[in-house]
Amino acid sequence: MKNNDITKTSFPGYEIAQEKQELERAKKEKIKQEKRLNTLPPFLMVRSGLFNEAILLAMVLIPVSEYIVIKQPSSFTEFLRGCCYVLPTIALIIKYFCLLSEREILRHNLKNYAKHDEDNLSPISDYKFNVMAKILVQHKSKLDSRMFERMIQNPESVDDIKTASAIIFGHLKSHPDDAQMILDKFTTNTIPPELQKRLKELIEKQK
């Protein structure tokens, strides 16, 4: 004799257990999403030029110090050589903490802009580390579409071409289908050439 599931009812507690599982899944997904939003690109600091000054100092100071020690060996020149090896490391540490400080300021500004807590977004050029600012704006825009949506709704809230382009480039990485929307929103000849090219490439792929 075959069972007829149509006339049957759920096992006691099944519906409640399912609701709990759904709530748990939603909670974990929310935590995961927040973690993604707060996680920075793994090579953000390197791409921002963290090692530039340290490498330049090492390339200049170390060979000079070695030459001096060979030509005039003494305890003083040995001391100078030691200083020349240490200075690039000190420069690296100083720049690292400067980058960290400005990164936190920018993250705070981007978060407030996305939440409509700030009327305008500060341009990338306002930050000392422009490369880091550009990378971070793109990264945040990729993960949080609210920044793009806010700018589309109120273009005057971003009064800098580089900043607006960074937001759009980042958004397009996760939402390539919005390429046509951008072309429909802004006058074509006012869009930066590099961004125009990217928009047209994405639209061609969608055909």
Side-chain angles (χ1 to χ4, degrees), residues 34-174:
E34 289 177 354
K35 186 176 179 181
R36 286 181 65 220
L37 286 173
N38 292 320
T39 302
L40 297 176
F43 298 108
L44 173 66
M45 294 298 189
V46 177
R47 293 170 64 193
S48 299
L50 173 64
F51 296 101
N52 289 0
E53 287 81 1
I55 291 172
L56 183 61
L57 280 172
M59 289 175 64
V60 173
L61 294 178
I62 292 174
V64 170
S65 66
E66 293 293 343
Y67 177 79
I68 293 173
V69 169
I70 292 171
K71 290 294 183 180
Q72 295 181 351
S74 68
S75 57
F76 179 69
T77 55
E78 287 288 346
F79 172 75
L80 284 179
R81 179 168 66 176
C83 290
C84 290
Y85 275 89
V86 171
L87 281 174
T89 304
I90 294 174
L92 175 65
I93 293 170
I94 291 172
K95 186 169 185 181
Y96 176 75
F97 283 104
C98 289
L99 272 168
L100 280 182
S101 176
E102 191 162 85
R103 184 193 70 179
E104 291 309 308
I105 294 170
L106 179 54
R107 285 177 64 181
H108 176 76
N109 292 342
L110 293 175
K111 183 179 179 180
N112 286 344
Y113 177 75
K115 291 168 61 181
H116 291 245
D117 290 342
E118 288 185 4
D119 294 332
N120 300 93
L121 182 63
S122 301
I124 288 172
S125 57
D126 279 3
Y127 298 93
K128 182 179 179 181
F129 303 103
N130 293 164
V131 176
M132 181 273 294
K134 180 181 177 181
I135 294 169
L136 189 54
V137 170
Q138 287 190 7
H139 178 69
K140 290 292 184 181
S141 300
K142 175 185 175 182
L143 300 178
D144 190 349
S145 60
R146 292 179 302 171
M147 290 179 56
F148 172 79
E149 292 165 1
R150 172 92 192 276
M151 188 184 72
I152 291 295
Q153 291 169 4
N154 182 18
E156 289 77 20
S157 63
V158 181
D159 58 1
D160 175 63
I161 290 178
K162 290 183 179 179
T163 309
S165 296
I167 291 173
I168 293 175
F169 271 116
H171 181 76
L172 289 173
K173 290 179 181 179
S174 55

Side-chain angles (χ1 to χ4, degrees), residues 173-184:
K173 290 179 181 179
S174 55
H175 299 81
D177 293 343
D178 286 344
Q180 187 61 54
M181 180 204 304
I182 297 163
L183 285 176
D184 293 339

